[in-house]
Amino acid sequence: MPTPTKGPRLGGSPAHQRLMLANLSAQLFEHKRITTTETKAKRLRPFAERLITFAKRGDLASRRRVQSVIASRSRTNKGIVHELFENIAPAMAERDGGYTRITKIGNRKGDNAPMAVIELVLEPVSPKQAVVKEAEQAASKAAPAEEPAVEETEATETAEVEATEVEAAEAETEKKDQA
C-alpha cells in the first residue's frame, strides 16, 4: 500500500494513518460513497484504487492481500472483501483507472473544515470511449500500403469526371468568345 507521507499525518503515527485509511476504504466499499474531509478523501483515493486494482485480478493471493489491509478478521470485513471482489471489481472491469470521484461540498458547520464526498464510479465506461478505442484498433491494424477502399476510388473517379466536364465547359466558352 502507499507508504505514509512524511510530515503531518491524518491523526498521529503512520500506523494510525494506515488504520484510518483501511477503515475509510472499508466504509467506501460498503456504502459506495462517504462524506469526509477533503484531506482524508485525497489520501484515501490512491489507497482505495489500489485495493480495487487487486480485486480486479480476482485471484486468491489478491483476496488475501486485500483482506490483510482491510484490517481484522471480523465477519463484516470478510463481507466487505466479498462485496469488493464479487460486485465492485466486475463493474470496474472495463475501466483502466479512476475508480473514485471526489466532489467538494463546502465547509462543515462546526469547525469550518472543507468537506468532500468520495464515491465509487460504478457507471459503465461511456460508449464514445469504446467507439474511439475500436477505431484506434482498426486504424492500427490497417496497413498504409493497402489499396484504397471502394468508396475512395469512386470518389476520385467522380472528381475526375467533374474536372473533365468543367474543362469542356471552359473550352466551349472560349470558342464562343473567339467567334
Side-chain angles (χ1 to χ4, degrees):
M1 296 303 104
T3 57
T5 57
K6 294 181 179 179
R9 293 182 178 87
L10 294 177
S13 66
H16 183 255
Q17 181 174 336
R18 275 195 302 270
L19 288 172
M20 188 179 299
L21 292 175
N23 287 331
L24 284 170
S25 62
Q27 294 302 307
L28 177 64
F29 299 143
E30 184 178 359
H31 300 291
K32 310 294 188 274
R33 70 184 314 190
I34 56 173
T35 302
T36 184
T37 62
E38 282 182 27
T39 307
K40 287 180 185 177
K42 287 179 181 179
R43 295 275 178 95
L44 176 61
R45 172 181 262 171
F47 192 86
E49 289 191 1
R50 183 156 175 146
L51 293 177
I52 293 170
T53 303
F54 281 127
K56 282 175 61 175
R57 290 185 197 164
D59 59 347
L60 182 61
S62 298
R63 186 177 290 264
R64 287 180 176 166
R65 191 166 183 180
V66 170
Q67 179 65 45
S68 70
V69 169
I70 292 207
S72 70
R73 301 274 181 193
S74 70
R75 179 173 284 173
T76 58
N77 285 342
K78 286 185 180 180
I80 293 168
V81 172
H82 179 76
E83 173 79 14
L84 175 62
F85 275 78
E86 300 302 320
N87 297 335
I88 296 171
M92 306 286 185
E94 295 296 319
R95 199 171 285 280
D96 293 331
Y99 309 122
T100 58
R101 174 187 302 133
I102 297 175
T103 308
K104 297 177 182 179
I105 58 171
N107 294 343
R108 187 163 45 201
K109 188 175 182 182
D111 61 354
N112 208 29
M115 299 297 287
V117 172
I118 182 167
E119 59 187 341
L120 297 175
V121 181
L122 295 174
E123 298 90 26
V125 178
S126 71
K128 182 178 179 181
Q129 292 173 346
V131 170
V132 169
K133 186 176 181 181
E134 289 176 11
E136 288 174 354
Q137 290 176 352
S140 66
K141 288 181 182 178
E146 289 183 7
E147 294 183 23
V150 175
E151 297 172 0
E152 293 176 5
T153 56
E154 290 176 2
T156 56
E157 289 174 3
T158 56
E160 291 172 0
V161 169
E162 290 175 359
T164 56
E165 290 175 358
V166 169
E167 290 174 3
E170 289 176 358
E172 288 180 24
T173 54
E174 287 179 14
K175 287 180 184 177
K176 288 180 184 177
D177 291 338
Q178 290 176 357

